[in-house]
Structures are given as structure tokens and as C-alpha cells.
Amino acid sequence: MKPLKETTDSSTRASSKNKKQRSSVITTTFDGKTVSFRLLSSTEIKSNRNSAYAFLK
Amino acid sequence: MFDKSFPYKFITKKNPLPSIDFFEYKLIYSFKASNYRYIAEVKVYNHNRHVIKFYPKHLSEATNKFNVILNSEYPPRIIRTCINIMLQILDDNQFANFGFLGSFSLSADCQESKYMTQRYRIYKQLMLNLFSENSFLHVENQTNSAYLLLNKLNPDPKSTLIEIHKMFIQYYPELDSE
């Protein structure tokens, strides 16, 4: 198994006016390939939820 | 729409492939939908990571078993059955993390790209609706239609995310670069 060459962690702010509207991007580079995962903010999750309930409160 | 499910049964627990060191075991479930029997596979990796996949049993040997669309079936009930399996896993392991890839659809006349596939968009909406941000971190990669739910009961979910991220890239070499 090839070792990971590099892992970086960066953060971006989606809206400068709303401190809760933050999203983080975790970027990993492996064997020349860069893939990023974005952490959804609490505000983004709530605003995109179209149901009145959640299984896990 | 996603309120109804099919009864499912646990079939077996399979041991890992020796060549993949972070793969712990695989759980196999089965359920009968409207027209076909389905297999749900839950691959369990270290860091309590669970990846659930499902496919029609009669296509078990097909290379495109995750990509076909069967027009004779009603998908919401099938998808909800898989979510019930996730909830049972969570009952058994309160630290469980989850992940999935929304496979691209394949039909006789077209092939969907890997970016924000139809399956991904449906599954993501369900994750947003059904799994609270109080209990899970929601993480996505739209380029590859990948989604992770990181359990906040784990002591350091963001560190876990980085480890899972590394495994994800190693295990899925077909992931597109950004």
C-alpha cells in the first residue's frame, strides 16, 4: 500500500456576515491525486432540511 | 415517501480480504422488494466506518449491479430499508460512522457522470433530513458523489475524518481529482 504524501486542512468562510455559516474543506493529496471533502455547516444542514423531523435529535 | 420499508434479515458476516488492511468485515442483509430480492452489503472498516451498498440479487455477478435502474421497482421503500439497516447498526454500535458513494446511473442510451449523481442527490437529502447535525458531522465530495456521516460520539471526529479520508482515496482509486 502506497503511503500518503501529503494531507492539508484548510477552512473557508461561506459568509462573512454570518459566523455560523462556516464550512471546512479537508484536502488530501495522494499519488498526484487531490480530493477534497467539505464539512457542511450546521446552518447549511438546517436550511436544506425539508422535513420536520430527524431520527436522531 | 420514505416512511415505508421492507422487512429485512441478516444473512452472514464475512471475513476481510487479507490484502486490505483497514477492512474489518462485511455484513450481508437481504430483503424482498416489489419484484426482486435485494442484497445489502455493509463493509466495516477501522475507525467504525460503515459503507452500505445494495443491489438486486439476480445481478450479483454483474459489473454494473450498482448502476442499473429497474423501472419496475419503487426506490424509496428500498432506500428506506437500507436506512433502517443503518439505524440497526447504530443501535449495535453507538460510535458508528457511515459513508456512501452515489453510483452513476447507466442505461441503454446514456451514462450519468460521477458529479452529483441522481442517487447522490437523493441520498444526501435523506441524510440531511434524517440524521441530525447534533449527532453527526456531514461531509461531502460532490465531484465523486461521496458522502460521510461522522459520529460526534467519537472523541475527535475531525481527526477521524482525516483518517477516513485517507482510506477513501486508497480504497477508491477511481475517485476523480479536484
Side-chain angles (χ1 to χ4, degrees):
Chain A
M1 188 168 291
K2 297 175 183 176
L4 288 162
K5 290 183 177 174
E6 181 186 352
T7 300
T8 58
D9 183 356
S10 62
S11 296
T12 58
R13 180 176 294 187
S15 167
S16 60
K17 293 181 180 178
N18 185 351
K19 290 185 178 179
K20 291 181 180 177
Q21 188 77 348
R22 280 175 177 272
S23 63
S24 297
V25 177
I26 310 291
T27 300
T28 299
T29 300
F30 170 63
D31 202 19
K33 180 182 288 187
T34 300
V35 178
S36 298
F37 278 79
R38 189 174 69 88
L39 179 63
L40 278 65
S41 70
S42 177
T43 307
E44 183 180 2
I45 293 169
K46 287 175 182 171
S47 63
N48 284 295
R49 181 173 289 149
N50 65 5
S51 173
Y53 68 93
F55 284 145
L56 304 164
K57 299 297 182 185
Chain B
M1 190 175 184
F2 288 91
D3 290 341
K4 291 184 178 177
S5 61
F6 296 107
Y8 65 88
K9 60 182 178 182
F10 172 71
I11 303 297
T12 189
K13 176 180 176 179
K14 288 190 174 179
N15 289 324
L17 297 169
S19 59
I20 304 175
D21 57 5
F22 44 80
F23 179 29
E24 295 187 348
Y25 55 88
K26 182 160 68 175
L27 305 172
I28 308 292
Y29 300 83
S30 174
F31 57 92
K32 175 74 168 64
S34 306
N35 297 293
Y36 299 106
R37 179 161 290 281
Y38 279 74
I39 300 294
E41 291 183 0
V42 181
K43 287 187 175 177
V44 184
Y45 305 88
N46 56 12
H47 299 290
N48 288 310
R49 188 166 73 112
H50 297 70
V51 175
I52 186 164
K53 300 177 174 183
F54 66 93
Y55 54 87
K57 186 179 180 183
H58 71 281
L59 297 177
S60 294
E61 302 302 319
T63 55
N64 61 354
K65 61 188 173 189
F66 299 115
N67 308 102
V68 295
I69 295 177
L70 299 176
N71 292 326
S72 57
E73 294 283 22
Y74 181 63
R77 221 171 145 178
I78 295 170
I79 296 168
R80 176 55 192 267
T81 305
C82 292
I83 288 175
N84 287 353
I85 292 171
M86 290 170 65
L87 293 173
Q88 184 190 331
I89 289 167
L90 200 55
D91 273 346
D92 296 339
N93 177 3
Q94 63 174 337
F95 299 101
N97 302 298
F98 297 99
F100 63 81
L101 279 174
S103 299
F104 60 87
S105 296
L106 189 62
S107 63
D109 53 355
C110 72
Q111 176 178 321
E112 197 178 19
S113 79
K114 286 195 286 187
Y115 176 76
M116 288 189 72
T117 63
Q118 180 187 39
R119 285 179 170 89
Y120 170 79
R121 297 194 302 273
I122 293 169
Y123 301 159
K124 176 185 174 182
Q125 190 62 57
L126 280 167
M127 297 303 113
L128 293 174
N129 287 358
L130 303 176
F131 290 88
S132 166
E133 69 281 5
N134 295 328
S135 301
F136 289 91
L137 296 176
H138 292 244
V139 188
E140 69 174 355
N141 174 286
Q142 295 184 349
T143 303
N144 293 288
S145 295
Y147 202 91
L148 300 172
L149 282 173
L150 293 168
N151 195 317
K152 288 187 174 179
L153 288 180
N154 288 300
D156 187 355
K158 286 195 177 180
S159 294
T160 304
L161 169 61
I162 293 172
E163 293 306 310
I164 291 175
H165 194 175
K166 293 174 185 174
M167 288 191 296
F168 213 84
I169 292 174
Q170 290 172 321
Y171 191 67
Y172 294 104
E174 71 272 24
L175 285 180
D176 280 346
S177 196
E178 303 298 317

